[in-house]
Amino acid sequence: MYEKFVEVLVEELQIDRADITMEAELSNDLGINSIELADLVMICEEKFGITIEDDDIRKFTTVGDVVSYLETLK
């Protein structure tokens, strides 16, 4: 799931692959703002055929948080 999520970050948000680690913070390290996070959620929902609850989005601080969440849904 990690590699699939990295592909989304690189392809959809043009984030440098070298900057992406499990510990990288979405906002502070990768520069993802709230609008981009909303886009990222929609892309993940479509790409992975899942639904991400609004309350769960608030828990996403690092790449690892998102990957762990996605793994629980698949």
Side-chain angles (χ1 to χ4, degrees), residues 5-56:
F5 184 63
V6 168
E7 287 177 25
V8 171
L9 292 173
V10 171
E11 292 173 11
E12 302 293 340
L13 298 181
Q14 286 73 49
I15 294 175
D16 188 342
R17 185 177 292 270
D19 293 336
I20 304 170
T21 66
M22 288 289 278
E23 298 79 26
E25 292 186 9
L26 300 174
S27 177
N28 294 335
D29 297 329
L30 302 180
I32 297 174
N33 63 37
S34 58
I35 294 171
E36 291 170 324
L37 181 59
D39 288 343
L40 183 61
V41 167
M42 288 189 297
I43 292 164
C44 287
E45 287 180 329
E46 185 176 311
K47 184 172 183 94
F48 303 123
I50 59 172
T51 300
I52 300 173
E53 300 299 325
D54 290 344
D55 288 342
D56 293 333

Side-chain angles (χ1 to χ4, degrees), residues 43-72:
I43 292 164
C44 287
E45 287 180 329
E46 185 176 311
K47 184 172 183 94
F48 303 123
I50 59 172
T51 300
I52 300 173
E53 300 299 325
D54 290 344
D55 288 342
D56 293 333
I57 297 168
R58 294 185 189 97
K59 300 174 190 172
F60 297 161
T61 302
T62 66
V63 169
D65 293 338
V66 180
V67 171
S68 294
Y69 181 83
L70 293 174
E71 287 174 343
T72 65

